Amino acid sequence: MAILRPEPNPEKEITKRPRVVLIPPPDLPVPAVQGGAVETLLTQLIQENERCGELDLWCASVPDEAAQRAAAGWQRTRMLYVPRPHGHRRYWPMVFIERCLGIAAPYDPWYQKVQLALALERLTPDVIVAEGGNLTQCSAISRMYGRRRCLAHLHGQTTCSPVMDEIYGGVLALSRFIRDDYLKTSALPLKNAYIWHNCVDVHRFCPGPAPAGLRKRLGFTGQDFVVLFCGRLEPDKGIHKLMEALALLPVPHIKLLIVGSPFFGRTQQSSFLRKLEQQARGLGDRVQFTGYIPNEDLPDYYRLADLVCVPTLVEEAAGLVALEAMACGCPILATRSGGMPEYLDGSQAVLVERGDNIADQLAWSIRMLYEHPALCADMRSAGPRRAQDFSVERYYRDFVRIVQDVMENGGTV
């Protein structure tokens, strides 16, 4: 396994900084060269720490040449690039065992390799953060370093189990909704369940003009009202319901731009994507697909759009797309789900209820916003102001505060 080490820093050796290990799922690399919400948040946290330097960070990741090049200049972060074991990792059967049978799933060998890498480094972390994924896989790491040092970062709605309570002395929740929902099934005290809101780079995601000619290249005119969907193309995201809504709107200038793919930066197709393409054929030139767009290019697409729609059909933990869109000054239409109302409060976003008539609600709301440009203008002003509450700087300060609290009130058990 390859370990990227920073150059020695004498000043760093003099001042003891909290040592934090970050363990994301073994699916996409860090830095987020292939996309992914978890990986993007980790990249932003690491980059802000490179600037501020209040923590010594270690981060595990699957290897990737582009990611390793992007991380090569980091001075305050050590990347542990741990290859996946050869052969099938049996990840989904593990999830099935855990969720359906209620028992701890067998170890994913990748996490065992991470544990070995940490042991070989003789590392004694102050805090370990499991960044989503199959959180029970960190049980051996928890036993090695102590439960109270270990935090589970809840990136979505998560049901606790006795196994989870044995592994983690605390959790980081993306919203009050996620925290309160988790505590319904956990014996964890409220004081150990931290709310750590997601962030957006408000210096990059900010209002501004779209590049000249981008609309035309995508097949839109200046008269078109472009509704943007951005995200992974899967049923839970509700994109098929948004296309149903578009079919209910007999307004040729209301069009849909779909940014995303089934598997982030990978090129695989899916049966759901084929169904979406078939659904889009019935709408002619009113629907355009871009495929995967790198995160650094997304601001241009938000600025091009007249409306961003987040029609998720499940409890959305937070929704990075909504944060990015409102930071760029784009009006937002979303379903009332999970932590979305918490994040969008103050942005003047329009929220609709989930249910059997969601396509009708979306269609009515899109037409209402299309016919009321003054309301859209107010939303364009309110969104960037609200987004300032979710800056990367705030995200980093909150994390440092949480680490310090864990260190002061925690320890090995």
Side-chain angles (χ1 to χ4, degrees), residues 158-162 165 180-188:
T158 306
T159 300
C160 186
S161 66
D165 272 340
D180 295 346
D181 185 71
Y182 183 82
L183 291 179
K184 292 176 184 176
T185 54
S186 173
L188 201 66

Side-chain angles (χ1 to χ4, degrees), residues 168-190:
Y168 300 104
V171 296
L172 306 172
L174 304 189
S175 61
R176 286 190 296 273
F177 168 81
I178 293 296
R179 180 199 64 184
D180 295 346
D181 185 71
Y182 183 82
L183 291 179
K184 292 176 184 176
T185 54
S186 173
L188 201 66
L190 179 63

Side-chain angles (χ1 to χ4, degrees), residues 99-110:
R99 292 183 179 176
C100 298
L101 303 182
I103 61 176
Y107 288 136
D108 182 327
W110 185 81

Side-chain angles (χ1 to χ4, degrees), residues 58-371:
W58 291 64
C59 183
S61 171
V62 290
D64 178 270
E65 289 184 5
Q68 289 173 240
R69 287 195 299 270
W74 288 346
Q75 296 295 306
R76 305 183 192 278
T77 304
R78 300 191 185 190
M79 293 300 303
L80 288 163
Y81 284 109
V82 180
R84 294 185 184 94
H86 294 296
H88 189 48
R89 292 188 297 113
R90 302 191 303 160
Y91 182 76
W92 288 112
M94 292 177 188
V95 175
F96 176 84
I97 291 172
E98 179 184 350
R99 292 183 179 176
C100 298
L101 303 182
I103 61 176
Y107 288 136
D108 182 327
W110 185 81
Y111 287 89
Q112 291 179 305
K113 293 183 74 173
V114 171
Q115 181 186 6
L116 175 61
L118 295 174
L120 290 174
E121 290 296 312
R122 299 182 180 180
L123 181 64
T124 305
D126 297 299
V127 175
I128 300 166
V129 183
E131 291 284 344
N134 188 1
L135 292 166
T136 59
Q137 293 301 313
C138 287
S139 57
I141 293 173
S142 174
R143 287 194 298 270
M144 185 165 67
Y145 293 112
R147 168 182 176 270
R148 293 175 67 184
R149 297 177 190 264
C150 295
L151 302 175
H153 195 176
L154 309 179
H155 288 275
Q157 195 173 15
T158 306
T159 300
C160 186
S161 66
V163 173
M164 288 274 289
D165 272 340
E166 289 177 2
I167 296 173
Y168 300 104
V171 296
L172 306 172
L174 304 189
S175 61
R176 286 190 296 273
F177 168 81
I178 293 296
R179 180 199 64 184
D180 295 346
D181 185 71
Y182 183 82
L183 291 179
K184 292 176 184 176
T185 54
S186 173
L188 201 66
L190 179 63
K191 66 181 181 65
N192 296 115
Y194 302 94
I195 295 175
W196 187 26
H197 288 117
N198 276 350
C199 67
V200 60
D201 184 351
V202 296
H203 305 293
R204 190 160 57 87
F205 290 90
C206 57
L214 181 58
R215 267 190 173 239
K216 185 176 180 180
R217 289 199 301 274
L218 293 170
F220 302 120
T221 69
Q223 289 74 43
D224 289 332
F225 184 85
V226 179
V227 180
L228 171 66
F229 171 90
C230 181
R232 194 149 46 94
L233 302 184
E234 62 175 17
D236 285 349
K237 299 296 185 181
I239 177 59
H240 57 301
K241 292 297 180 181
L242 181 54
M243 279 209 272
E244 287 179 22
L246 191 67
L248 295 172
L249 291 167
V251 183
H253 282 303
I254 298 179
K255 298 186 178 180
L256 176 61
L257 177 62
I258 300 174
V259 173
S261 69
F263 304 104
F264 300 103
R266 299 168 185 168
T267 58
Q268 295 101 314
Q269 291 283 308
S270 72
S271 59
F272 182 67
L273 175 57
R274 288 190 288 272
K275 290 178 182 178
L276 290 179
E277 291 170 340
Q278 182 178 3
Q279 192 177 2
R281 281 194 285 273
L283 293 165
D285 66 352
R286 296 180 65 195
V287 179
Q288 300 292 339
F289 292 84
T290 69
Y292 172 76
I293 298 293
N295 187 265
E296 58 267 23
D297 296 330
L298 287 179
D300 292 337
Y301 290 82
Y302 291 128
R303 292 165 185 156
L304 170 147
D306 297 288
L307 176 68
V308 167
C309 188
V310 187
T312 181
L313 303 180
V314 296
E315 299 289 14
E316 183 74 61
L320 279 178
V321 168
L323 280 180
E324 293 170 349
M326 72 180 181
C328 287
C330 193
I332 297 171
L333 168 62
T335 52
R336 190 183 304 277
S337 62
M340 291 292 284
E342 184 177 332
Y343 278 80
L344 294 174
D345 182 39
S347 71
Q348 298 190 25
V350 175
L351 299 179
V352 301
E353 304 299 331
R354 291 171 295 158
D356 294 338
N357 67 338
I358 184 174
D360 295 309
Q361 294 185 68
L362 291 171
W364 185 91
S365 301
I366 292 169
R367 181 151 196 169
M368 183 268 295
L369 292 167
Y370 170 71
E371 294 176 349

Side-chain angles (χ1 to χ4, degrees), residues 382-403:
R385 291 197 298 269
R386 174 58 171 157
Q388 296 300 316
D389 296 332
F390 303 105
S391 68
V392 175
E393 292 82 359
R394 188 275 314 158
Y395 187 70
Y396 180 75
R397 289 195 304 271
D398 286 352
F399 185 65
V400 172
R401 173 183 55 79
I402 290 168
V403 167

Side-chain angles (χ1 to χ4, degrees), residues 7-29:
E7 294 298 321
N9 186 334
E11 181 183 349
K12 184 175 178 179
E13 302 302 322
I14 295 172
T15 305
K16 172 74 167 63
R17 299 181 179 90
R19 184 170 291 176
V20 180
V21 174
L22 306 168
I23 307 177
D27 298 315
L28 295 170

